[in-house]
Amino acid sequence: MSDDASASPATVLRTLVARAVDADPASLADRVEVVERSGEPEVDDGGERDSRTPVARLARLIAEADGVVAVVPRFDAVLARRLNDALAAVPRAVRVVFTDAAADRLAGATGAIVRRALTERGVDAYRHDGESPVAVVLADDRAAVGLIDGSGVAALLTTDDPAVREWAAATCRRYLDAAEPVTEG
């Protein structure tokens, strides 16, 4: 990542992904799409303005996929509602590894409610005790990487670039292999 603290979340995310796949950030520019959260709060009305936000893009990517595997370090209320709606529409194969603060929500005061909601949506949930600096999602043949901050998804990179997809698949596999399945009880 950049040592420049003023770098935008989109720039930081492009650099992080480029380093992960051993590429020059400029060489990935034409093969990835990056959307960054604006200064305005995200709305949950499905409006045109909201369709350009990282959360809306991620929810749409998941809603359109038949199979999803993901590593999620944190999720906020807007993201949870969007994903709930996306997963409710059509049955699909979804495996999610929760790390960091997201894993804590599976065991905390609301843990039983969260686990039950995941089960009702057909999500195979896993808990990983480690950390993840980003959210990583593989939805069919598309990869998404989300830069997470204290307010949620600051930037989202999506692509069908083979190098990024391979890295995303390997990352998800590594976390799945080290995670424990979560049961509703």
Side-chain angles (χ1 to χ4, degrees), residues 69-152:
V69 61
V71 175
V72 179
R74 181 182 186 281
F75 58 86
D76 58 28
V78 172
L79 178 58
R81 280 191 301 276
R82 285 296 186 105
L83 294 178
N84 185 45
D85 293 344
L87 293 172
V90 178
R92 65 194 84 241
V94 179
R95 295 177 293 164
V96 180
V97 178
F98 294 92
T99 68
D100 300 306
D104 295 343
R105 297 224 15 217
L106 295 174
T110 60
I113 296 167
V114 173
R115 292 190 306 271
R116 187 171 37 256
L118 291 168
T119 300
E120 289 172 358
R121 293 293 180 244
V123 175
D124 293 332
Y126 300 82
R127 188 176 194 283
H128 188 283
D129 288 331
E131 298 177 354
S132 175
V134 292
V136 179
V137 179
L138 194 57
D140 293 341
D141 62 347
R142 298 213 28 104
V145 182
L147 184 64
I148 310 296
D149 65 12
S151 299

